[in-house]
Amino acid sequence: MPKRLMLLISLYCLFSIAALLRAVTTQSFDVFTLGVIPVLVGIMMRTPWSSLVLKIYIGMQTLGFSALGMTAIIAYRITPEDVKVVVSGHNIPMLPLTISIIVILLLQYWIAFSKVTSHYLTRQTR
């Protein structure tokens, strides 16, 4: 297994744990958070559909974060003091949050569209 893919699997394991915790605490299920589980299973089992599902999931993440970003920009233009990210009572600064989201998305794109990953996921298992 390529090291890039092992990095993605470990990242998706963390995403899966966070998604399950969020689903249990908020008692709401959505494709954006729980969609990582079929992607993770597909990659680990090397199924023929895993490459497609991985790319669709990354596209969904990009679309969701873009919509969230545009909403934040519009809200900031209206009332700048109300635009905050608060998680469990802790205010998270916007610049580090934005940079980390961009880095995580770029890392996923790099891994998903690399030839090594494509070759590994499409190669038949023995």
Side-chain angles (χ1 to χ4, degrees), residues 27 33 37 57-58 69 74 90 98 109 116:
Q27 296 180 351
T33 54
I37 294 171
Y57 182 67
I58 295 171
I74 292 169
H90 300 290
T98 304
Y109 272 109
V116 174

Side-chain angles (χ1 to χ4, degrees), residues 32 58-76 83 94 101 105:
F32 191 64
I58 295 171
M60 283 178 29
Q61 284 181 350
T62 305
L63 188 63
F65 285 127
S66 297
L68 186 64
M70 290 298 150
T71 305
I73 290 170
I74 292 169
Y76 187 78
V83 179
M94 291 299 278
I101 288 172
L105 281 174

Side-chain angles (χ1 to χ4, degrees), residues 19-33:
L20 289 174
L21 287 175
R22 181 186 175 279
V24 168
T25 57
T26 62
Q27 296 180 351
S28 67
F29 302 98
D30 56 17
V31 176
F32 191 64
T33 54

Side-chain angles (χ1 to χ4, degrees), residues 33-79:
T33 54
L34 293 177
V36 71
I37 294 171
V39 175
L40 183 61
V41 169
I43 291 172
M44 292 180 74
M45 294 178 62
R46 276 176 83 176
T47 58
W49 48 265
S50 60
S51 180
L52 178 64
V53 173
L54 171 64
K55 292 170 185 167
I56 289 172
Y57 182 67
I58 295 171
M60 283 178 29
Q61 284 181 350
T62 305
L63 188 63
F65 285 127
S66 297
L68 186 64
M70 290 298 150
T71 305
I73 290 170
I74 292 169
Y76 187 78
R77 300 288 278 164
I78 296 170
T79 55

